[in-house]
Amino acid sequence: MIKETRVLLANADDPKLRTLEGYRSYGGYKALEKAYREMEVDELLRELDESGLRGRGGAGFPTGKKASFLPRGDMAKYLCCNADESEPGAFKDRELMQKNPHQLIEGIAVTALAAGAKHAFIFIRGEYDQQADILDEAVAEAYEAGYLGKDILGSKWDLELVVHRGAGAYICGEETALLDALEGKRGNPRLKPPFPAVQGLYGGPTLINNVETLSNVPHIVNNGAEWFKSLGTEQSPGTKVVSISGCVQRPGNYEVELGLPIRSLIWDLAGGPLPGRQIKAFYPGGSSSPVLTPDDLDRPYSFESMAEAGSMLGSGSIIVADDTISIPHMALRTARFYRHESCGKCTPCREGTSWTVKMLERVVRGEATPMDLDIIASVQSNIMGRCLCVLGDAMAMPVSSMVNKFREEFEEVIASAAAEGLTSEPHEVVQSPLAVEVANG
Amino acid sequence: MSDQFPEFPALPVDIALTEGRYPESEAEQIPELHEVDCPDDLREQIEALMARYPEKNSASIPALWAVQRRYGWCTPEGIRQAAAVMRVTPAYLESVASFYDLLRTEPAGEHQVLVCTNISCWMRGGDEMLDAFCEAAGCDREAAGHGGAISEDGKVFVSGFECLGACDLAPMASINERYYGPLEPADAAEAVRQLREGEPVLEEKGLWHRRLAGDSSAGDDS
């Protein structure tokens, strides 16, 4: 029986923790004081680098390395906290901001010092209105206490922190789309390079980190890189807040050391599947990760092990599907989400998501032929790696994994829907020019 | 620098994509303040928002939020008022408003109910919750599933919505920007009645009451 290891979520259920006073009573803002009073920037960067902390937003890029990409010297640099958590299955940042806003603010202040940024922003998704209010209050308290603003703790260092509410667009979680949204535009991703570390917000070097990543920073500064590395695995050090949802008894956020078997996360923490049900598939890292099957349940939950399994840890969100869930319908639900959220800038994504939805609708209505499944798979491979950002890939990866691993079920659904003449909604039969083209090779 | 982050300091951002969207490019279209009859408090609010950012245009989304909070949705007049204060074209603000799901460019009801129908909620009855809210409010189910529908009395706007980031509450809904769950179909009628009568909504189901999942007493191992 495994247990949680709470670092970021320690004392999270104490409502006092939301206030500056309560946060300080648990040792809060010690890292900020240490960093601003005693540490050199190089020392901070080294500590972050040596800790091996990897970004918790999805890509898993080493945080210290990312911070070191920013050019040195006196210029306008920016730090953006990505709190646009919108991936289906992910809800860890919401919990972290709601229950412990000062931990994030402290992490931002310390990281801004390391990056040389005098302006920081928390880009929070518009739907998280209550969490934005909580952050606003906490930021005001931190200004009042002198942890933000001019000449922080007599260090001559200034930092302005603004909580910026988005307005409902998944794409704004993509770092360059986030920058466009923060500049007041439609949230379209930018061409990379230049990367944000070189040319980001307002054209200045910009560091962008996820809420959970930044929330880890005060603990690393307080306890040292060695302590951090003692948690988790060699390549995935530290703890991770794992969001478990779907067909389990106790969905929720659980903080664990990376590297524990997935089976124990689902059974010991989330209570296992609902009574009398069997697990059929699961997304290990949010809806954009390729699905895995019960054969993968004994793999350790870490960045490297999920990559080895052909999937990814992503934002650390496990969505469990049991034997009552129809995989083709789940694929359709997934594809519809990405169709809705595609910004429309790149053709493979805009058209690919749209046609994938149409083809999957044919599957669940019984109008498709097994050959359509090959076409679906080929459309997915024509999306991947062909757009400015990875939103299209984020649909292509799970959908193609479902078609590959559950092809028989897709064929059964087509056959049974056709047999029943199941036409639940009025619709037009669509002929895809793309499909014809693909079929003709 | 690693292979993943090659250094390209001299490359400009894509000019074709940015210049065409410059919000001040057609100065003659920017309305003057005296032409738009902007209420003083809204003007002050937007000016304060602009002052928070190194560049004023960053305030476009917050300014549109301010317009929506005041008028219920981003009305053409409201957009012109914000544009006059921000010194940008109304077309630019409209282009921003139309991009984001939460900014409404059409009338919306007095109260908003967003029902999550994405994967985790769908697995636990999200579609049935949307059915229940539509029935309780008297909204068209088909329209609610495709962008939203307003009840006949104009009080309640119900919309199926993409993942709201609360899969632990599944099935859940965001009612007037606060999260509630896990819900049962019977909760929908109760919530709609409370909204219509101006009462607090589903108080016991609010997200803020919720402890960490590992601490909840429901567990057999706790």
Side-chain angles (χ1 to χ4, degrees):
Chain A
M1 180 72 78
I2 60 156
K3 290 250 180 287
E4 286 186 66
T5 307
R6 288 195 188 155
V7 176
L8 305 182
L9 288 176
N11 313 309
D13 278 332
D14 185 347
K16 255 197 357 245
L17 193 62
R18 273 184 219 157
T19 64
L20 186 112
E21 200 186 327
Y23 181 62
R24 288 188 45 150
S25 75
Y26 286 114
Y29 284 112
K30 285 221 173 73
L32 187 147
E33 287 173 12
K34 184 175 170 188
Y36 277 75
R37 289 199 169 122
E38 297 164 25
M39 292 176 84
E40 298 291 325
V41 168
D42 286 332
E43 211 180 331
L44 259 178
L45 281 172
R46 199 167 54 239
E47 198 79 10
L48 276 181
D49 194 32
E50 281 177 6
S51 73
L53 172 64
R54 296 175 67 168
R56 302 297 198 229
F61 196 79
T63 307
K65 209 170 175 186
K66 199 169 176 183
S68 70
F69 287 151
L70 264 71
R72 299 299 188 89
D74 198 21
M75 62 185 93
K77 289 183 254 186
Y78 303 95
L79 171 65
C80 293
C81 168
N82 187 343
D84 192 66
E85 177 175 67
S86 310
E87 169 108 342
F91 47 93
K92 65 188 174 67
D93 297 343
R94 189 205 76 214
E95 195 106 85
L96 287 167
M97 291 186 285
Q98 175 167 337
K99 301 210 159 168
N100 200 346
H102 284 287
Q103 175 175 260
L104 173 61
I105 294 168
E106 186 178 13
I108 289 172
V110 173
T111 311
L113 183 67
K118 295 195 175 182
H119 268 103
F121 299 89
I122 302 176
F123 188 100
I124 182 167
R125 68 180 296 193
E127 292 87 344
Y128 285 174
D129 185 66
Q130 187 167 29
Q131 291 72 22
D133 286 351
I134 289 169
L135 281 172
D136 273 334
E137 256 173 61
V139 167
E141 275 187 313
Y143 267 104
E144 184 93 351
Y147 292 131
L148 294 172
K150 301 273 177 221
D151 192 21
I152 296 169
L153 304 179
S155 64
K156 304 254 183 312
W157 189 260
D158 306 337
L159 178 65
E160 298 297 330
L161 176 59
V162 174
V163 178
H164 182 93
R165 284 186 64 192
Y170 170 72
I171 189 65
C172 294
E174 198 279 332
E175 56 180 14
T176 59
L178 182 150
L179 295 177
D180 263 24
L182 194 46
E183 288 180 3
K185 303 171 189 158
R186 294 161 69 89
N188 288 321
R190 300 175 181 175
L191 181 66
K192 289 191 273 191
F195 289 93
V198 177
Q199 201 171 46
L201 189 65
Y202 311 126
T206 306
L207 181 63
I208 304 165
N209 286 128
N210 170 260
V211 171
E212 189 185 355
T213 314
L214 291 166
S215 296
N216 266 298
V217 170
H219 301 284
I220 293 171
V221 170
N222 278 330
N223 304 315
E226 285 307 314
W227 162 83
F228 191 77
K229 279 195 287 191
S230 72
L231 301 165
T233 70
E234 198 185 335
Q235 288 171 26
S236 306
T239 61
K240 177 85 191 72
V241 181
V242 183
S243 308
I244 309 180
S245 69
C247 307
V248 290
Q249 303 211 21
R250 288 193 299 279
N253 283 309
Y254 298 93
E255 186 173 4
V256 293
E257 289 187 50
L258 284 165
L260 294 172
I262 296 170
R263 183 184 295 279
S264 58
L265 301 180
I266 295 177
W267 265 266
D268 296 354
L269 298 177
L274 301 172
R277 311 258 190 96
Q278 303 286 321
I279 292 182
K280 192 198 250 178
F282 63 96
Y283 298 85
S287 66
S288 56
S289 59
V291 298
L292 298 178
T293 62
D295 295 343
D296 299 302
L297 280 170
D298 291 309
R299 287 179 187 271
Y301 196 59
S302 64
F303 287 103
E304 62 275 18
S305 147
M306 289 301 98
E308 201 178 286
S311 187
M312 57 190 205
L313 186 94
S315 51
S317 319
I318 300 177
I319 309 175
V320 177
D322 67 22
D323 47 5
T324 65
I325 301 296
S326 153
I327 299 291
H329 285 84
M330 188 165 89
L332 175 58
R333 199 58 63 143
T334 307
R336 276 187 181 151
F337 169 75
Y338 291 99
R339 178 187 63 176
H340 179 81
E341 299 295 345
S342 174
C343 79
K345 186 165 171 173
C346 309
T347 311
C349 171
R350 183 185 64 241
E351 295 298 315
T353 53
S354 180
W355 283 111
T356 301
V357 167
K358 286 174 185 167
M359 287 188 282
L360 287 169
E361 281 171 349
R362 284 163 56 96
V363 168
V364 302
R365 285 176 181 142
E367 292 161 3
T369 66
M371 194 188 73
D372 285 339
L373 299 176
D374 297 326
I375 299 171
I376 292 175
S378 110
V379 169
Q380 307 316 308
S381 58
N382 275 300
I383 296 172
M384 283 193 261
R386 300 207 168 143
C387 306
L388 285 184
C389 82
V390 293
L391 189 141
D393 300 44
M395 178 201 70
M397 290 188 293
V399 168
S400 57
S401 75
M402 282 183 252
V403 174
N404 286 336
K405 292 181 182 173
F406 294 92
R407 192 178 169 110
E408 278 179 20
E409 188 177 336
F410 278 81
E411 289 173 0
E412 280 164 25
V413 164
I414 296 170
S416 64
E420 286 171 29
L422 187 72
T423 48
S424 54
E425 334 171 350
H427 62 277
E428 292 166 33
V429 176
V430 282
Q431 272 296 329
S432 151
L434 181 64
V436 173
E437 194 180 312
V438 172
N440 296 337
Chain B
M1 292 272 169
S2 76
D3 292 336
Q4 248 173 314
F5 280 73
E7 206 169 4
F8 287 103
L11 255 183
V13 289
D14 190 336
I15 288 171
L17 290 170
T18 52
E19 298 229 316
R21 294 191 279 147
Y22 271 154
E24 300 92 356
S25 57
E26 285 159 276
E28 70 282 2
Q29 291 180 13
I30 300 174
E32 296 298 329
L33 259 178
H34 64 82
E35 295 170 351
V36 295
D37 196 23
C38 182
D40 284 343
D41 56 334
L42 183 63
R43 178 179 52 76
E44 282 163 19
Q45 204 183 345
I46 294 173
E47 282 168 353
L49 288 168
M50 283 155 65
R52 294 168 73 195
Y53 298 93
E55 292 189 10
K56 70 171 170 63
N57 287 356
S58 283
S60 69
I61 294 175
L64 288 164
W65 272 115
V67 167
Q68 180 156 305
R69 293 229 192 281
R70 186 177 184 98
Y71 300 111
W73 57 289
C74 293
T75 59
E77 299 76 28
I79 285 179
R80 280 179 63 77
Q81 291 166 1
V85 179
M86 288 186 67
R87 307 302 306 141
V88 295
T89 60
Y92 163 71
L93 284 185
E94 244 175 67
S95 80
V96 173
S98 62
F99 186 86
Y100 298 98
D101 287 348
L102 291 177
L103 295 172
R104 309 204 178 281
T105 46
E106 283 171 20
E110 198 177 314
H111 302 288
Q112 293 195 357
V113 180
L114 309 178
V115 184
C116 177
T117 54
N118 211 296
I119 304 169
S120 295
C121 280
W122 163 69
M123 288 176 174
R124 301 180 81 100
D127 286 357
E128 289 75 11
M129 279 314 304
L130 183 57
D131 294 345
F133 271 107
C134 286
E135 197 188 320
C139 292
D140 180 57
R141 174 65 178 80
E142 180 66 16
H146 294 90
I150 309 175
S151 64
E152 261 178 37
D153 59 2
K155 286 258 186 192
V156 189
F157 173 83
V158 178
S159 175
F161 216 74
E162 296 301 354
C163 186
L164 287 155
C167 315
D168 48 342
L169 305 183
M172 60 79 63
S174 166
I175 303 176
N176 288 338
E177 305 197 84
R178 290 293 177 270
Y179 283 10
Y180 300 86
L183 300 176
E184 287 155 31
D187 293 328
E190 179 71 0
V192 169
R193 184 191 64 76
Q194 287 163 331
L195 286 174
R196 288 203 161 118
E197 292 174 12
E199 292 174 17
V201 179
L202 300 176
E203 284 202 76
E204 278 157 29
K205 301 234 171 179
L207 164 67
W208 52 95
H209 293 306
R210 202 170 163 89
R211 296 170 65 81
L212 288 177
D215 294 343
S216 59
S217 52
D220 50 18
D221 61 346
S222 54

